[in-house]
Amino acid sequence: MTAHLLPRSISTATSAVIGATSIAPLYSVVVTLGLMHALVGRWTPVVLVAAVVPMAVVSVCFARLDELYEDQGTVYRWAREAYGAFVGFLGGWGLWLSATLVLASLAWVTADSALFALGAEPGPWAVTAVAAALMAVFAAISSTGIRVSAAVQAVFAALQLVGVGLLVWATRTAPVVEGAAEGEGEWSGFYTAVLAGGELTAGNVAAALLLALFLYWGWDSTFSLTEESTTQRAPRVSAWIALTVVAAVYAVIGWSYVPGASVGSPLLAGLVAISAAASIGTTMIPTSRGLMSMARGGHLPRRFLSLSFATWTTAAVAAAWMTFSGPLFDDTVGVISVLVALYYGLACAATAKLARTAGARLLGAAGAALMAVALVLTGLEYVLSAAWVWAGAVLVLLVVPLWFLLGRGREPLPGAHERAPHLESLRN
């Protein structure tokens, strides 16, 4: 096994905790729910529930592919096996880039809301410095291996369950601010939003569904632990547990959401900081392991075979992006949603080609079509007005020069092309 990976160390329950904290329900609600309500108004709870359907389809595709190729690189490995080295590199790029962008936002939210909860009012550079320090702390934890990370996440998961209850109570009892313009929102440690809701057009629904992908994104981190799981079934079962729990949480939060509710409690700001901080640690897990898998397959330099190097490289790039971009919310969420749809769509397309049964292949084709339709409808509706559509396209296209600079000219390590490079003992 690659250095710093710990085989037979992650149970189904532990993996489910990591999947759920990767989603970071409170943080995701803070940066997404108001935007969704601006798009589809009172239909927001319906979209939240409807978004579970494509997530369920994608999770089944991940499960089928994991049975064939148990690889911590997930989409990189599966797309490579199905459509060749460049498409695999594209999938790995989409996964790594989406996670790196979200790490920057997670760190900023954690620092900003934690400082607000403590009563401080620092400038943007002070927030950036605190955020970079937090990212360094979690990179140090993540680079030690999965056991320490899992223990930390168990504490964060318990705190978030308490936080969800407090959020629902505070939202239902908070005063409502009248008279704000549609779509206006303000971040003040927690979330203050006054949103009238948009029209129910195909483009708005597609954009809201893409944002819902961000709301649920993170469950697939369980599949990056496939080589460290105690059983072959652990990654897929834990992913479904995480999705079910978070879908129930979102149904309750969607029901409790009141447009115009002003919720600025320092306590809730602290809970959002906890949620975002938890997701920093769990987001580093699939990101670093994806880079390690790409190095094993010969598509990154050998130095990325080190968990520590892969983790610290990701943290450094995320910190640089955060410093350059500042406190991004709307644009970053949109870009991340596009990237997530891209690599989810690639996983579904790989299932359509590689799956053993006709039913699984059909499901993969349906999932790929769902992601493609959402991307096309969103592009047609917003290509002239949404900066994040253009930003997402530019970031995706960076894969071409990176392929020529980093992705070619290395032989894969022994076993990198085997059908199941997992420990033989896990098959017993």
Side-chain angles (χ1 to χ4, degrees):
M1 296 294 290
T2 308
H4 301 298
L5 296 188
L6 301 174
R8 297 185 66 89
S9 60
I10 295 299
S11 66
T12 300
T14 301
S15 184
V17 167
I18 291 173
T21 54
S22 290
I23 298 173
L26 290 174
Y27 162 76
S28 298
V29 164
V30 164
V31 300
T32 308
L33 191 59
L35 302 175
M36 289 180 63
H37 198 277
L39 290 165
V40 294
R42 65 181 182 275
W43 295 96
T44 297
V46 177
V47 172
L48 283 171
V49 174
V52 177
V53 176
M55 286 297 94
V57 171
V58 175
S59 69
V60 172
C61 290
F62 269 63
R64 298 288 78 81
L65 290 168
D66 188 62
E67 291 176 352
L68 295 173
Y69 302 97
E70 296 171 326
D71 193 297
Q72 62 186 10
T74 62
V75 176
Y76 156 72
R77 173 69 187 277
W78 303 331
R80 188 191 77 193
E81 295 293 341
Y83 299 107
F86 176 75
V87 178
F89 191 83
L90 174 62
W93 169 248
L95 192 156
W96 179 84
L97 184 60
S98 60
T100 302
L101 294 182
V102 85
L103 276 174
S105 287
L106 286 167
W108 182 280
V109 170
T110 303
D112 190 38
S113 53
L115 291 170
F116 173 84
L118 295 173
E121 296 183 2
W125 284 109
V127 175
T128 301
V130 173
L134 286 169
M135 206 177 305
V137 169
F138 280 99
I141 293 172
S142 181
S143 62
T144 62
I146 193 60
R147 285 178 181 157
V148 176
S149 295
V152 171
Q153 292 306 318
V155 176
F156 278 127
L159 292 174
Q160 286 191 78
L161 285 176
V162 175
V164 169
L166 287 174
L167 173 61
V168 171
W169 170 79
T171 304
R172 299 300 294 183
T173 59
V176 176
V177 180
E178 303 290 346
E182 177 181 341
E184 289 183 354
E186 176 187 357
W187 172 260
S188 59
F190 183 62
Y191 188 62
T192 303
V194 183
L195 298 162
E199 299 179 2
L200 201 65
T201 64
N204 279 358
V205 171
L209 284 171
L210 276 181
L211 291 173
L213 293 183
F214 178 80
L215 271 169
Y216 286 104
W217 177 65
W219 58 266
D220 51 299
S221 62
T222 65
F223 287 93
S224 69
L225 299 171
T226 186
E227 297 177 53
E228 298 170 89
S229 298
T230 53
T231 67
Q232 284 185 304
R233 299 178 67 250
R236 67 201 75 148
V237 173
S238 56
W240 293 329
I241 292 173
L243 266 176
T244 301
V245 170
V246 172
V249 167
Y250 284 155
V252 173
I253 293 177
W255 163 80
S256 68
Y257 181 76
V258 178
S262 179
V263 182
S265 164
L267 173 61
L268 290 178
L271 291 171
V272 170
I274 290 171
S275 179
S279 195
I280 294 174
T282 53
T283 301
M284 287 183 177
I285 291 172
T287 312
S288 58
R289 284 160 175 77
L291 294 179
M292 293 170 72
S293 178
M294 293 174 76
R296 183 168 61 190
H299 294 132
L300 279 180
R302 293 285 191 257
R303 292 198 66 185
F304 285 97
L305 288 169
S306 164
L307 175 62
S308 179
F309 184 80
T311 301
W312 282 103
T313 298
T314 299
V317 173
W321 174 264
M322 178 182 62
T323 302
F324 172 77
S325 302
L328 298 176
F329 291 101
D330 295 15
D331 288 348
T332 297
V333 172
V335 171
I336 293 168
S337 298
V338 169
L339 292 169
V340 171
L342 170 67
Y343 81 77
Y344 278 175
L346 282 176
C348 292
T351 306
K353 183 173 182 179
L354 297 175
R356 293 170 175 169
T357 65
R361 291 193 294 271
L362 181 61
L363 190 69
L370 281 173
M371 296 299 162
V373 168
L375 286 171
V376 169
L377 287 177
T378 304
L380 291 176
E381 186 80 7
Y382 294 100
V383 71
L384 297 179
S385 60
W388 59 262
V389 173
W390 291 106
V394 170
L395 289 172
V396 170
L397 291 175
L398 281 176
V399 71
V400 176
L402 287 173
W403 167 253
F404 287 101
L405 289 172
L406 298 175
R408 305 187 306 160
R410 298 178 191 86
E411 290 295 324
L413 293 182
H417 289 294
E418 293 179 2
R419 178 166 285 259
H422 204 340
L423 291 182
E424 290 297 329
S425 58
L426 297 189
R427 298 191 183 91
N428 298 329

